DNA sequence: GAAATTTTGGACGGTTCCGGTCAGTACTGT
DNA sequence: ACAGTACTGACCGGAACCGTCCAAAATTTC
């Protein structure tokens, strides 16, 4: 049987819980921009990213704004954990990679009978809750440069290696700002030697430096995940 | 036995669930600024506002930023629902009033054994989750005037009558902006005949007008609550 | 290897909101 | 009645963005 240990939630499960869940999991390869679901859709699958990054967005007029990202530290399908069927947010693959997928029905059955699984999923819900809450104030008070650094750190934590594909344009959409604004902010980070980029390929050069430029929201949220998921979600 | 029907979550419970919970509830009268708990505190009570409004805030440097408000449509103590003990946010009474309170331990026991209670609390968690997610993008994209109108509408939904106590200064803290900024925005709303205020007493004159000035986040979130809590949380 | 496309850099004025400050106007307590 | 304390209104220059454009450079397509 395949192992899904790359995902921290699945890794945190006791062996028998993990085994029962694994019977329903399959691994899929999802390219960037794959749509998982959007507001109004029925949540009929739950997703556990292995080395991909998924973005959760909310509608703003005709456009979308990013609310949170999910990677190997989490899962997509909280409505199922909450016992509801309809998604209120849009989820799509931000950085392509592998995802472990299970049908929502089977997952619901397991949640009902497996205390350990339910406990871990609810703890994750609390962590996610905290992350989003912090983002509410982050978007309000922190500068583009700080949020840009925070976003890069969070993404770095969720992908293998120090490099990933991301254009200024794409990052601008995620941060809800102009592309030109990202070019300036990212240019500053590059000048400071913290990152390096070239036509959509971003490399993180100095995590600590990046963290000192970013707002405290990064560490605050990372610590909550560490505590609730029980493992460090940060790189290094 | 006292009735706690003013709270929509408690009202949504089937009679026997409501009865079991009511045995552990007492009503307290909480003046404005009463602290419920803050990050790091153990959540040893859960709170169901009856006619008060509670504010949830996250730390931003040395200050606080509002993340969400909770009134008769909800409850404070989601960590307990999530099976965790520690609060990650600060909660305090924004607009004084009565609150039904139960010990977290007893509530946890009931959650374990009472399916209906658990179902309703988790549905509420999903609604709250959506509200906060929407606020992430709202704070980023919508103008002070729009957010001001939204905040007034949400508060109006949660208090009895059309008037409540709120100074510009206090509202500015909630919105995370300068007091002077609120004075301008609120002045506009007053000139337009939507609200009326005088030394800390705000009266809502025209809900529909206020809603057309506010961003769509108000309606979006209100509709989610209606669907998940099963009753309209809006006035009129 | 020429043409089209994607990605990045840079500039323009304009808007919103900031930080700070000062003044006026209503309530409050004694 | 008076002093003190809220509360609101208004002003200033400045910062951080915006929307919009143009241009250069790297990459892909044909």
């Amino acid at each position: 049987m395949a192992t899904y240990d790359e995902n921290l939630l699945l890794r945190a499960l006791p062996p028998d819980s993990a085994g029962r869940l694994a019977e329903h999991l399959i691994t899929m390869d999802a390219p960037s921009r794959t749509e998982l679901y959007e507001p109004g859709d029925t949540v009929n699958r739950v997703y556990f990213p292995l080395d991909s990054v998924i973005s959760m967005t909310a509608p703003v007029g005709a456009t979308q704004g990013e609310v949170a990202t999910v990677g190997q530290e989490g899962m997509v399908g909280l409505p199922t954990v909450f016992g509801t069927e309809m998604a209120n947010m849009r989820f799509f693959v931000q950085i392509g990679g592998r995802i472990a997928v299970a049908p929502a029905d089977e997952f619901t059955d397991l949640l009902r009978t497996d205390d350990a699984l339910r406990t871990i999923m609810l703890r994750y819900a609390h962590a996610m809750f905290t992350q989003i809450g912090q983002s509410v104030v982050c978007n309000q008070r922190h500068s583009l440069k700080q949020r840009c650094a925070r976003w890069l750190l969070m993404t770095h934590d969720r992908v293998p290696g120090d490099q990933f594909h991301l254009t200024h344009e794409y990052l601008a959409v995620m941060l809800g700002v102009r592309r030109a604004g990202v070019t300036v902010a990212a240019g500053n980070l590059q000048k400071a030697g913290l990152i390096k980029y070239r036509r959509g390929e971003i490399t993180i050069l100095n995590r600590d430096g990046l963290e000192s430029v970013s707002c405290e929201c990064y560490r605050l949220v990372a610590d909550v995940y560490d505590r609730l998921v029980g493992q460090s979600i940060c790189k290094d």
Side-chain angles (χ1 to χ4, degrees), chain A residues 93-126:
Chain A
V93 176
Q94 171 64 231
I95 293 178
R98 286 168 301 112
I99 313 179
V101 190
D105 289 346
E106 269 84 350
F107 191 68
T108 297
D109 289 343
L110 285 176
L111 278 173
R112 214 185 336 259
T113 54
D114 189 329
D115 286 351
L117 179 66
R118 197 172 54 244
T119 297
I120 285 179
M121 291 304 143
L122 286 176
R123 289 175 77 88
Y124 169 65
H126 191 194

Side-chain angles (χ1 to χ4, degrees), chain A residues 83-216:
Chain A
T84 54
E85 298 196 328
M86 195 191 290
N88 291 325
M89 301 271 165
R90 174 169 167 244
F91 291 83
F92 65 95
V93 176
Q94 171 64 231
I95 293 178
R98 286 168 301 112
I99 313 179
V101 190
D105 289 346
E106 269 84 350
F107 191 68
T108 297
D109 289 343
L110 285 176
L111 278 173
R112 214 185 336 259
T113 54
D114 189 329
D115 286 351
L117 179 66
R118 197 172 54 244
T119 297
I120 285 179
M121 291 304 143
L122 286 176
R123 289 175 77 88
Y124 169 65
H126 191 194
M128 185 78 168
F129 196 83
T130 306
Q131 171 182 346
I132 298 180
Q134 194 66 40
S135 294
V136 172
V137 297
C138 183
N139 275 338
Q140 178 172 93
R141 313 271 193 104
H142 298 141
S143 71
L144 174 50
K145 186 174 174 182
Q146 287 177 304
R147 283 182 291 138
C148 190
R150 182 188 171 204
W151 202 94
L152 292 174
L153 282 169
M154 293 199 309
T155 303
H156 184 219
D157 285 339
R158 287 159 174 76
V159 298
D162 292 331
Q163 188 173 342
F164 47 93
H165 183 84
L166 184 75
T167 64
H168 290 185
E169 179 68 43
Y170 219 134
L171 181 50
V173 172
M174 292 303 100
L175 295 174
V177 297
R178 280 178 321 151
R179 195 271 312 160
V182 169
T183 296
V184 171
N188 283 343
L189 297 177
Q190 178 160 252
K191 258 180 231 132
L194 306 178
I195 64 172
K196 183 175 75 179
Y197 59 83
R198 193 168 152 278
R199 298 192 71 68
E201 293 301 323
I202 283 208
T203 309
I204 306 295
L205 296 178
N206 179 349
R207 271 191 66 84
D208 291 346
L210 214 45
E211 187 169 341
S212 69
V213 168
S214 96
C215 46
E216 75 271 23

